[in-house]
Amino acid sequence: MEGKPLNQTEIKRRGPLKGGITPPSDKSISHRAIIISSLAKGKSRIKNFLRAEDTLRTLEAFKQMGIKIIDEDGVIIVNGKGLNGLLEPENSIECGNSGTTMRLLSGVLAGQPFEARLTGDSSLQRRPMQRIIDPLSKMGAEILSEKGEQPPLTIMGGNLKPEDLTLPIASAQVKSAILFAGLYCDGVTSVTGPARSRDHTERMLRAAGVEVEEIGQKVSVTGIATLKPMDITIPADFSSAAFFIVAGLIIPGSEILIKNVGINPTRIGLISILQDMMGNHIELLNVSEISGEPVADILVKHSKLKGIDAGSNRILSAIDEFPILCVAAAAASGKTKITGAKELRIKESDRISSMAQELQKMGAEVKELDDGIIIKGREKLKPATINSHGDHRVAMAMSIAGLLAEGKTTVKNTDCINTSFPGFFSELEKLME
Ligand code: S3P
């Protein structure tokens, strides 16, 4: 697999995937580790921080606001200055491709007595921000968006008041932004979503000594909070492991041990969907807990997959795994239907349309639904020239699909993979040696 200078990668299968791999560290937890330790007073140590474009955006943003963050022998040391220790940034904060940086940071900035401008790349500038503007404005922040409901955003924070908010969508980014803003409010701030989204913020805030309560779908935080510095060890990202879970299942003769992976129950819907597609060829071994998050080694072996109706309830806990789940469906016998996935239309690309277009090029029969997809699989896919749509997860999912084709598949525009998984292709290579 090569192609760096051309920003494209050629994929050709050489045999089964065999061996062990530790995927890169969890992206969601890495963002939160930087944010929460910057708001704590004192020195936090973050082991296994994800050094990828998205998470480095969050790290740089806090440096820009006066937080001293250094790398000491691979451990990130954050010298937090407390809830009110941030300085007004001189320039706009560049969030790049990272929706998580922009939305989580908005919650923190809502609590600051200064003005800050957040901007991003062309993909991020198309993503909806009204979902954070509404609740944070209700709490008292002034937020100006230059292009209707999209970035850039200018946030003038301070003087927030606690609110009891109800969200129309189940979004961990919006929930987290509100919880961060709630740290600055005198009293209890609550947020109720229509379903339970990932809870890394709640877990880490609790570890920092903040009062966080969860009753059903309602999460409450009590401010004004004081955060303690922490030692945090970050597990490998389930969403990155997902590409190897599916690759191991669909490529004949494969057996892969994926090590030290976060298995937070709000993140692993893919496992239960895949188990319905095949019986039981995924095993969780050495289950333990690291820094308040459950972790395991995941053993996968090649299995025959059959199409299913995946329903709509589990998709929230498999939200970032939609592209690779589509690849599993394309390799399964019969039809797979995935619904309840409307949010996928407004991710780094419209992932429903991106996956439909690209899998069709490889011979899968695909029908787009407004909130999902129906895919009729086939045993072998056709090689094709694939467009990543500038979306890291589409690029990685389609590269795995390329391994199922007989012949050479070219995936164009693969540099975007660096936002979450630098080294993806070299890890894949190692499993083919
Ligand atoms: C994330 C939440 C999800 C997810 C994204 C990361 C987070 O987004 O898709 O990749 O770290 O909180 P939404 O909150 O928009 O669902």
Side-chain angles (χ1 to χ4, degrees), residues 27-28 31-32 100 103-104 127 131 170-174 176 198 316 319-320 343 347-348 393:
K27 183 152 83 76
S28 291
H31 284 293
R32 286 154 173 85
T100 311
R103 296 198 179 115
L104 267 52
R127 297 186 66 189
R131 52 184 61 200
S171 160
Q173 293 178 351
V174 179
S176 301
R198 65 189 67 189
L316 178 62
I319 193 82
D320 292 337
E343 277 289 302
K347 293 289 179 190
E348 285 83 330
R393 299 204 198 279

Side-chain angles (χ1 to χ4, degrees), residues 10 57 86 105 147 154 167 181 185 201 211 226 315 328 363-364 374:
E10 287 176 358
R57 296 287 183 193
L86 301 180
L105 214 49
K147 294 195 306 182
T154 300
L167 300 181
C185 296
T201 302
E211 216 182 306
T226 305
I315 199 68
I374 300 174

Side-chain angles (χ1 to χ4, degrees), residues 160-175:
L160 298 185
K161 57 180 186 350
E163 287 284 345
D164 184 356
L165 299 157
T166 302
L167 300 181
I169 34 163
S171 160
Q173 293 178 351
V174 179
K175 174 180 67 176

Side-chain angles (χ1 to χ4, degrees), residues 104-410:
L104 267 52
L105 214 49
S106 298
V108 174
L109 291 171
Q112 309 305 317
F114 55 70
E115 193 176 284
R117 183 172 179 273
L118 298 172
T119 188
D121 70 8
S122 57
S123 153
L124 186 53
Q125 289 201 31
R126 287 193 296 271
R127 297 186 66 189
M129 292 296 149
Q130 204 59 37
R131 52 184 61 200
I132 51 159
I133 297 176
D134 286 340
L136 296 175
S137 305
K138 201 153 184 226
M139 293 173 78
E142 272 177 51
I143 306 182
L144 185 88
S145 68
E146 290 162 38
K147 294 195 306 182
E149 302 186 351
Q150 293 152 336
L153 301 179
T154 300
I155 303 183
M156 178 66 222
N159 290 322
L160 298 185
K161 57 180 186 350
E163 287 284 345
D164 184 356
L165 299 157
T166 302
L167 300 181
I169 34 163
S171 160
Q173 293 178 351
V174 179
K175 174 180 67 176
S176 301
I178 294 167
L179 295 177
F180 288 141
L183 301 174
Y184 290 84
C185 296
D186 193 357
V188 178
T189 297
S190 300
V191 49
T192 307
R196 188 147 189 260
S197 56
R198 65 189 67 189
D199 65 352
H200 306 300
T201 302
E202 294 89 311
R203 286 172 188 255
M204 204 182 284
L205 282 177
R206 264 194 213 111
V210 179
E211 216 182 306
V212 181
E213 197 181 59
E214 275 174 87
I215 302 174
Q217 259 30 289
K218 183 171 190 158
V219 186
S220 305
V221 66
T222 303
I224 293 171
T226 305
L227 280 64
K228 293 183 302 203
M230 290 172 290
D231 278 355
I232 306 166
T233 302
I234 302 178
D237 198 322
F238 183 83
S239 298
S240 297
F243 300 104
F244 296 99
I245 294 176
V246 171
L249 286 178
I250 65 179
I251 294 165
S254 297
E255 179 165 336
I256 313 177
L257 184 65
I258 311 166
K259 288 179 252 176
N260 201 28
V261 184
I263 52 160
N264 182 311
T266 60
R267 296 281 302 277
I268 55 168
L270 177 77
I271 291 188
S272 100
I273 297 172
L274 290 173
Q275 275 168 344
D276 284 359
M277 293 175 83
M278 65 182 185
N280 210 347
H281 278 122
I282 303 179
E283 274 180 77
L284 297 185
L285 310 171
N286 303 321
V287 178
S288 64
E289 198 172 290
I290 309 181
S291 298
E293 292 279 350
V295 174
D297 296 335
I298 304 176
L299 181 67
V300 283
K301 292 182 191 158
H302 171 249
S303 309
K304 282 242 174 297
L305 301 183
K306 61 176 182 356
I308 56 159
D309 184 341
S312 58
N313 292 341
R314 290 179 289 190
I315 199 68
L316 178 62
S317 57
I319 193 82
D320 292 337
E321 288 64 74
F322 176 86
I324 193 64
L325 180 57
C326 291
V327 174
S333 60
K335 270 188 197 167
T336 296
K337 183 176 180 187
I338 307 165
T339 49
K342 205 164 183 177
E343 277 289 302
L344 271 301
R345 294 223 175 259
I346 46 171
K347 293 289 179 190
E348 285 83 330
S349 72
D350 174 343
R351 286 184 175 156
I352 296 178
S353 144
S354 305
M355 289 308 296
Q357 283 176 46
E358 302 312 314
L359 283 175
Q360 261 157 359
K361 288 184 194 164
M362 299 189 77
E365 258 179 62
V366 182
K367 185 169 186 267
E368 266 190 57
L369 307 172
D370 180 42
D371 71 335
I373 202 161
I374 300 174
I375 298 175
K376 186 157 180 275
R378 44 189 285 162
E379 213 165 287
K380 286 201 176 94
L381 294 173
K382 288 191 302 200
T385 299
I386 297 299
N387 174 6
S388 75
H389 300 252
D391 183 328
H392 56 133
R393 299 204 198 279
V394 174
M396 288 185 274
M398 291 309 301
S399 300
I400 300 297
L403 293 177
L404 263 196
E406 276 193 350
K408 189 182 77 188
T409 287
T410 302

